[in-house]
Amino acid sequence: MIEAIARSAPGGVLFHCGAGRDRTGLVALLLPALAGVEADAIAADYDLSAEAVKPLFAALGAEDQGPRIAAALAERGTTTAAAIRDTLDGSTPSGTSSRPGSPAPTSPTSGAGSRDGTRLENDHP
């Protein structure tokens, strides 16, 4: 998906899901990283989005997974911001170990060449 967005024609690309915390959330983390946005800014934006999605869950009558996510991160001795930085660095979060049989960590640019990151910066502000 990252490669398809990076190589898309100028004019914008839409990707979406119900809440943006899973696959779409990862894309939303990786795109600004490819465009050169600092990990701390991406983490701050994620926190804003996590707050903004609460009314959506309430309107849908669905449970907001935010508290469960925060508890799981706390059990592992990490935070949302640290997990996002670790994800963008392609590293294993501190205090945890990678699962046996998991693929080796990759960088956010895996599958998209450096020229694709430059295109994201220039073509998709």
Side-chain angles (χ1 to χ4, degrees):
M1 180 185 279
I2 299 292
E3 185 174 356
I5 292 171
R7 295 181 182 199
S8 67
V13 173
L14 173 66
F15 68 98
H16 67 88
C17 76
R21 285 192 172 141
D22 297 319
R23 292 171 300 270
T24 307
L26 286 173
V27 172
L29 293 176
L30 296 175
L31 288 174
L34 283 168
V37 177
E38 295 290 326
D40 288 335
I42 296 168
D45 183 64
Y46 179 90
D47 287 338
L48 288 174
S49 298
E51 285 299 313
V53 79
K54 287 179 180 182
L56 171 66
F57 285 119
L60 295 173
E63 178 188 1
D64 175 13
Q65 299 294 314
R68 291 176 63 189
I69 294 168
L73 291 170
E75 285 176 14
R76 289 163 179 81
T78 192
T79 64
T80 301
I84 288 170
R85 281 191 301 273
D86 288 340
T87 298
L88 294 174
D89 289 342
S91 61
T92 302
S94 55
T96 65
S97 60
S98 60
R99 293 182 309 218
S102 296
T106 58
S107 75
T109 57
S110 292
S114 62
R115 100 181 150 83
D116 295 328
T118 301
R119 287 211 45 231
L120 284 169
E121 290 175 5
N122 296 332
D123 295 346
H124 303 284

